Amino acid sequence: MLQSKKRWNVQECDEQLVNEFVENLNITPLVASLLLNRGMTTVEAAREFLHVDAQTFHDPFLLHDMDKAVARIQQAIDHNEKIMIYGDYDADGVSSTSVMLSALQQLGADVDFYIPNRFTEGYGPNKAAFDKISAGGYQLVITVDTGISAVEETAYARELNFDLIITDHHEPGPVLPDAYAIIHPKLPGSTYPFKELAGVGVAFKLAHALLGELPEHLLELAVIGTIADLVPLVDENRLIARKGLDYLKLTKRTGIEALLSVCGVKREEINEDTIGFAMAPRINAVGRLQDADPAVHLLMTTNAEEAKGLAKEIDALNKVRQQIVNDITEEAVEFVENMYPPDENSVLIVEGEGWNAGVVGIVASRLVEKFYRPTIVLSIDSENRIAKGSARSIEGFDLFANLSKCRDILPHFGGHPMAAGMTLSSDDVEELRTRLNEQASNVLTEQDFIPITSVDTVCTTEEITLENIEQMSALAPFGMHNPKPKVLIKDVHTTSMRKIGANKNHLKLVFEDSDVSVDAVGFGLGYILDEVSPIAKVSLVGELSINEWNNMRKPQLMVEDISVDEWQMFDYRSAVDVKRFFEQVFTDQMKVVAFHDLTIDKYKSLLPMEHVVLLQNEEQAKACMFAGEQIVLLDLPPLQKWLEALFVQGIPSRIYAIFLTEEDHYFDTIPTRDHFKWFYGFLAKKGPFDLKRYKEDLAIHKGWSKETIDFMAKVFFELEFVTINNGLISLVKNSAKRDLIESATYRQKQQQIEIEKNFIYTSYVQLKNQFQDIFKRSIE
């Protein structure tokens, strides 16, 4: 047995709908099931999803206050008022700022931007920034990707006599700011058809309304924040992502070209991963370490030399950011393990003096990945007694809802069900820890702390074809609510499996079923090679892809998780290197079973004695509880029924067969009844025989071993056929007739020969079948 790393939540499909989709959309059943699992329950909805390019954007004026905002902005442009764009320091905020700047510059506005410093000002609008803006003569401020929580700051803006238009997408609080206008798809009572726009999506809608036509040239900016902010890639977000990626491939923005260059990405290779794993981390790195302004300048510049310099600067900052994240993560993991172990805490709150507040969100994500607990990572400023941080959650624990219950100690916080940011007094950290753990204990179960992998469908090897994989690409771009499809391949045999990579930490395998073979690769799964036994049936979860090499195209599975449902046999019998086994293979999850104290004495220096169990009779074996355990059989018992007794209380998950023996009974000369008959006649003729002096001569004469002669002498002695005195063996006159089987030594020899034949001198398949038979008899 091999337990999967995560819980596999396999989606189920209505077969009738699958067939309906196949018939009406000319797609394969696999793609049809993927569409159904993404919420497309009608043929029309599925058709729209597949043909996203044919969709249109919603009317921006359906957003509350859009008409009011457009009128005020147009008034400012007409009267040459100074306009300030107030953004945020992440990729969504930077791209939102760039969209708004581009639109207003196109309209001839006198416009500039302001992004607060994460470290000195924190998230969102602040009064000091508003003072500077007011002093600069700005009469209109437009927030992008921020502002919905700025109730006090909005009131202060009124005191400073400038108008504030808020555009945001974060969760609205119970009290809304009293702004000139608020454009937000989630406002109470909003009738806008789509609620899940990113901050840049809301800015794009405002740009659309201002320009009077769809600003397709701004989609290459809108796609950055949409994908980077992990909003659901459905409806308008899907449209922005799909069209935006197309425009990104054709970009003429000097800054984007320079950024792609330092990322090492070719235009034709651009996809959603380009943004998620190359562009966005670099843009985010700027605001995580310093002022985010260079990121906006990069996206807006038309000067090639400036773009090249900014891109290199941003790339260097990202490398620094990566090292800082690694260092803080190491400290945070140690903090958790030593101070607040996960088995005692449903929510992890980790704090560190002087930690970079710009990267704590990344650290929180890493801790969630490692410990799978809702996690808050806080940077402590002891001088000002302030804690700033970010939180990430798991399925089943709504961060925003639970943090909302702690508003009295959270003067500044905002976010989503799965992520949030906050500022609080460092004196209240312990109180927050206590409250959130109590709240989590009321809603989370032990099952919730096992990571989940959502699997789209069960897939057969016959369905893993180039056609199916190519059709699946129509579902792209992938992201939140439209993840890359994961498939489950159940109970297949592996025909080859090996470790690959410089450090041998990756896995390459070939699996087959129904005469169809498929290549597979599992990055970081090299260790599994030692945990899958020969002929075991494996189940695999992963993503299907096309491997193109040397002008050949083949389907392959990128494996993420592996399980084996049946018990497994691992064979270490042949010339086993006992030292290597206990140094390289043995784990603390195993128990070592021995039946002879001599075996333990001989290998004591190698054995993990705290894991060794010595069994010296059948009753001791019967009392063992090895159901679901991993056991190492160090040697063999004298009787097979001891093994049967060992599994009376359940079947182990794994058996490691070593079977050390001091002597091979199976290959000894096995005396037949004719041997015994000759030896008896010999003793009758010769009279008393001195075994000590003449045993070797007799052995040479008959071609037997000396051990064979000793064995027959012992059997005769137990049957009272002979007496043995100081090596002199003599027949007993008129002894009663008895069968050889009545001798305990004879029976034991026969049993040892039989058990060695069955468990040592057999093939792997025969050995596994022997245990299968034992399990059946044990539980009958």
Side-chain angles (χ1 to χ4, degrees):
M1 186 172 289
L2 173 63
Q3 187 66 45
S4 59
K5 294 184 297 181
K6 298 183 178 181
R7 285 182 287 156
W8 297 350
N9 181 20
V10 183
Q11 307 294 315
E12 294 184 358
C13 287
D14 184 322
E15 287 301 319
Q16 184 175 340
L17 282 175
V18 169
N19 294 332
E20 188 178 337
F21 279 21
V22 169
E23 184 178 339
N24 287 277
L25 299 172
N26 193 28
I27 56 177
T28 65
L30 177 60
V31 175
S33 65
L34 295 175
L35 287 165
L36 283 165
N37 289 335
R38 279 154 175 71
M40 312 301 140
T41 56
T42 66
V43 170
E44 188 54 40
R47 183 178 285 112
E48 287 183 9
F49 190 85
L50 288 172
H51 302 289
V52 62
D53 294 331
Q55 294 179 36
T56 57
F57 286 90
H58 302 306
D59 182 351
F61 286 96
L62 294 175
L63 282 160
H64 179 75
D65 275 356
M66 181 64 81
D67 52 350
K68 189 176 179 182
V70 168
R72 178 65 184 89
I73 294 169
Q74 192 59 57
Q75 177 188 329
I77 295 171
D78 292 343
H79 292 83
N80 217 23
E81 295 178 48
K82 295 177 74 175
I83 303 173
M84 178 65 77
I85 309 302
Y86 194 107
D88 188 27
Y89 35 64
D90 66 1
D92 190 14
V94 166
S95 56
S96 300
T97 302
S98 301
V99 163
M100 209 70 257
L101 280 172
S102 298
L104 290 176
Q105 286 174 356
Q106 185 176 335
L107 291 169
D110 181 1
V111 62
D112 202 351
F113 75 94
Y114 185 95
I115 295 179
N117 183 289
R118 182 192 295 262
F119 306 100
T120 59
E121 299 175 80
Y123 172 78
N126 66 83
K127 293 179 181 179
F130 280 0
D131 283 336
K132 293 177 188 176
I133 290 168
S134 179
Y138 291 90
Q139 296 160 282
L140 177 62
V141 175
I142 305 170
T143 74
V144 288
D145 190 35
T146 188
I148 196 63
S149 300
V151 176
E152 291 184 17
E153 292 78 8
T154 300
Y156 189 65
R158 283 191 174 278
E159 293 178 19
L160 295 174
N161 292 318
F162 65 76
D163 290 330
L164 181 65
I165 295 173
I166 292 173
T167 76
D168 200 355
H169 74 122
H170 295 93
E171 296 292 331
V175 179
L176 296 176
D178 185 18
Y180 183 88
I182 299 177
I183 300 174
H184 194 305
K186 290 185 180 179
L187 285 181
S190 172
T191 58
Y192 191 71
F194 183 58
K195 310 294 184 185
E196 302 297 334
L197 289 167
V200 71
V202 181
F204 182 79
K205 301 305 294 187
L206 178 55
H208 184 180
L210 284 167
L211 295 171
E213 60 182 9
L214 185 73
E216 294 200 2
H217 62 293
L218 298 181
L219 283 167
E220 62 185 326
L221 293 173
V223 67
I224 295 173
T226 297
I227 290 177
D229 214 50
L230 302 179
V231 291
L233 288 191
V234 296
D235 202 281
E236 274 192 312
N237 287 340
R238 178 168 165 75
L239 195 53
I240 290 171
R242 184 67 166 262
K243 288 180 175 289
L245 286 171
D246 290 340
Y247 276 96
L248 205 56
K249 292 176 182 178
L250 304 171
T251 188
K252 293 183 179 178
R253 281 190 177 256
T254 310
I256 290 180
E257 289 179 322
L259 182 58
L260 290 170
S261 178
V262 298
C263 293
V265 175
K266 298 176 182 177
R267 285 175 180 263
E268 63 272 17
E269 296 173 349
I270 290 174
N271 58 24
E272 61 270 26
D273 288 342
T274 304
I275 295 173
F277 298 105
M279 297 176 71
R282 287 169 171 82
I283 294 172
N284 280 326
V286 186
R288 294 186 190 282
L289 301 183
Q290 60 172 46
D291 286 330
D293 292 15
V296 177
H297 292 313
L298 175 65
L299 296 181
M300 296 298 296
T301 185
T302 57
N303 184 293
E305 284 304 310
E306 182 186 19
K308 188 175 179 180
L310 285 168
K312 285 184 177 179
E313 176 189 341
I314 286 171
D315 188 53
L317 283 170
N318 188 52
K319 289 182 172 67
V320 173
R321 187 271 307 167
Q322 289 172 329
Q323 187 58 53
I324 292 172
V325 168
N326 290 339
D327 293 343
I328 295 178
T329 300
E330 190 175 326
E331 290 181 46
V333 168
E334 186 177 351
F335 182 95
V336 170
E337 293 176 340
N338 293 336
M339 300 291 292
Y340 297 97
D343 57 351
E344 299 175 11
N345 290 268
S346 300
V347 177
L348 303 178
I349 298 184
V350 185
E351 67 263 24
E353 179 74 32
W355 283 351
N356 185 305
V359 302
V360 291
I362 303 174
V363 176
S365 294
R366 290 195 178 181
L367 294 184
V368 170
E369 185 177 338
K370 181 174 179 61
F371 299 114
Y372 205 67
R373 296 286 190 280
T375 300
I376 300 174
V377 180
L378 298 168
S379 174
I380 303 297
D381 177 354
S382 57
E383 184 177 340
N384 295 305
R385 296 169 68 181
I386 290 175
K388 292 183 180 179
S390 291
R392 300 291 184 269
S393 197
I394 64 175
E395 291 292 332
F397 191 77
D398 186 324
L399 263 180
F400 186 82
N402 281 283
L403 288 171
S404 295
K405 298 175 182 178
C406 304
R407 287 181 181 274
D408 58 311
I409 57 172
L410 290 174
H412 299 286
F413 88 96
H416 312 288
M418 297 298 288
M422 70 207 66
T423 300
L424 67 156
S425 167
S426 58
D427 297 335
D428 291 329
V429 171
E430 191 58 41
E431 175 65 17
L432 182 64
R433 180 180 284 116
T434 300
R435 289 193 196 181
L436 288 180
N437 268 288
E438 184 177 338
Q439 289 167 212
S441 66
N442 293 328
V443 296
L444 296 175
T445 66
E446 285 300 315
Q447 192 77 354
D448 291 319
F449 296 125
I450 303 173
I452 300 174
T453 290
S454 184
V455 179
D456 290 273
T457 187
V458 178
C459 180
T460 64
T461 52
E462 293 100 321
E463 291 178 294
I464 303 177
T465 64
L466 292 174
E467 180 191 8
N468 260 328
I469 298 172
E470 287 166 346
Q471 277 198 19
M472 283 166 54
S473 65
L475 276 64
F478 300 111
M480 292 292 288
H481 290 207
N482 182 33
K484 288 184 178 180
K486 287 186 174 60
V487 299
L488 167 62
I489 294 94
K490 294 186 69 174
D491 297 333
V492 291
H493 286 290
T494 59
T495 56
S496 73
M497 189 180 295
R498 58 191 174 89
K499 295 180 181 181
I500 59 172
N503 299 317
K504 302 297 181 186
N505 56 337
H506 308 308
L507 190 68
K508 171 78 173 177
L509 65 147
V510 179
F511 62 88
E512 70 172 15
D513 192 34
S514 303
D515 297 323
V516 178
S517 295
V518 180
D519 293 343
V521 176
F523 289 108
L525 299 179
Y527 68 93
I528 283 179
L529 180 65
D530 300 319
E531 299 193 32
V532 176
S533 61
I535 76 170
K537 287 185 175 181
V538 301
S539 294
L540 309 156
V541 165
E543 297 174 1
L544 295 174
S545 65
I546 297 175
N547 182 20
E548 300 189 35
W549 183 78
N550 203 21
N551 296 321
M552 294 281 290
R553 302 175 81 240
K554 290 177 63 178
Q556 70 176 357
L557 179 72
M558 305 307 294
V559 182
E560 295 183 10
D561 208 353
I562 299 179
S563 75
V564 177
D565 291 335
E566 60 188 3
W567 75 275
Q568 294 191 86
M569 166 69 68
F570 294 87
D571 190 354
Y572 287 89
R573 296 172 298 170
S574 301
V576 63
D577 181 351
V578 182
K579 182 177 181 181
R580 188 187 72 83
F581 176 85
F582 284 105
E583 287 181 351
Q584 299 180 19
V585 180
F586 182 84
T587 69
D588 287 342
Q589 282 74 48
M590 299 178 189
K591 293 180 180 177
V592 181
V593 177
F595 298 96
H596 304 281
D597 50 13
L598 289 176
T599 310
I600 294 176
D601 289 342
K602 183 173 181 179
Y603 295 97
K604 193 169 186 177
S605 62
L606 301 176
L607 298 177
M609 294 305 296
E610 67 275 18
H611 295 275
V612 174
V613 179
L614 175 62
L615 303 176
Q616 295 184 299
N617 57 57
E618 185 180 349
E619 289 306 311
Q620 289 179 353
K622 195 176 290 185
C624 290
M625 289 283 292
F626 289 138
E629 299 279 357
Q630 301 179 31
I631 64 170
V632 180
L633 294 177
L634 192 64
D635 56 17
L636 279 170
L639 302 174
Q640 183 167 316
K641 63 181 182 179
W642 290 24
L643 278 178
E644 296 180 5
L646 197 61
F647 306 116
V648 166
Q649 302 199 50
I651 297 173
S653 62
R654 300 183 193 178
I655 292 178
Y656 294 83
I658 296 181
F659 298 152
L660 298 170
T661 56
E662 291 303 305
E663 54 181 319
D664 292 327
H665 299 277
Y666 185 64
F667 288 110
D668 286 348
T669 301
I670 305 173
T672 65
R673 291 186 180 272
D674 287 339
H675 288 110
F676 281 102
K677 185 177 180 180
W678 184 91
F679 189 40
Y680 189 91
F682 171 78
L683 293 175
K685 289 179 182 178
K686 296 294 185 180
F689 181 73
D690 193 337
L691 289 173
K692 285 185 178 180
R693 292 181 63 185
Y694 302 114
K695 176 172 56 178
E696 187 171 354
D697 294 337
L698 180 60
I700 292 171
H701 173 71
K702 294 297 293 181
W704 297 341
S705 67
K706 290 182 289 184
E707 288 77 16
T708 298
I709 296 171
D710 285 337
F711 172 73
M712 290 192 294
K714 189 174 181 181
V715 170
F716 280 166
F717 179 77
E718 289 179 357
L719 295 175
E720 298 178 343
F721 291 168
V722 301
T723 60
I724 301 175
N725 186 14
N726 198 25
L728 193 66
I729 182 170
S730 305
L731 283 179
V732 175
K733 292 180 180 181
N734 301 318
S735 59
K737 284 188 175 183
R738 299 177 67 183
D739 195 281
L740 293 174
I741 201 68
E742 296 182 55
S743 162
T745 297
Y746 184 85
R747 291 197 307 273
Q748 185 177 359
K749 183 74 168 181
Q750 294 299 100
Q751 289 164 345
Q752 287 174 331
I753 290 170
E754 186 68 15
I755 200 170
E756 286 181 9
K757 181 182 78 171
N758 291 340
F759 292 93
I760 296 181
Y761 304 108
T762 55
S763 69
Y764 173 87
V765 173
Q766 289 171 327
L767 179 62
K768 187 167 186 184
N769 287 338
Q770 284 286 348
F771 277 100
Q772 285 286 111
D773 292 340
I774 284 176
F775 294 159
K776 288 179 183 177
R777 290 195 295 272
S778 296
I779 61 178
E780 284 177 354

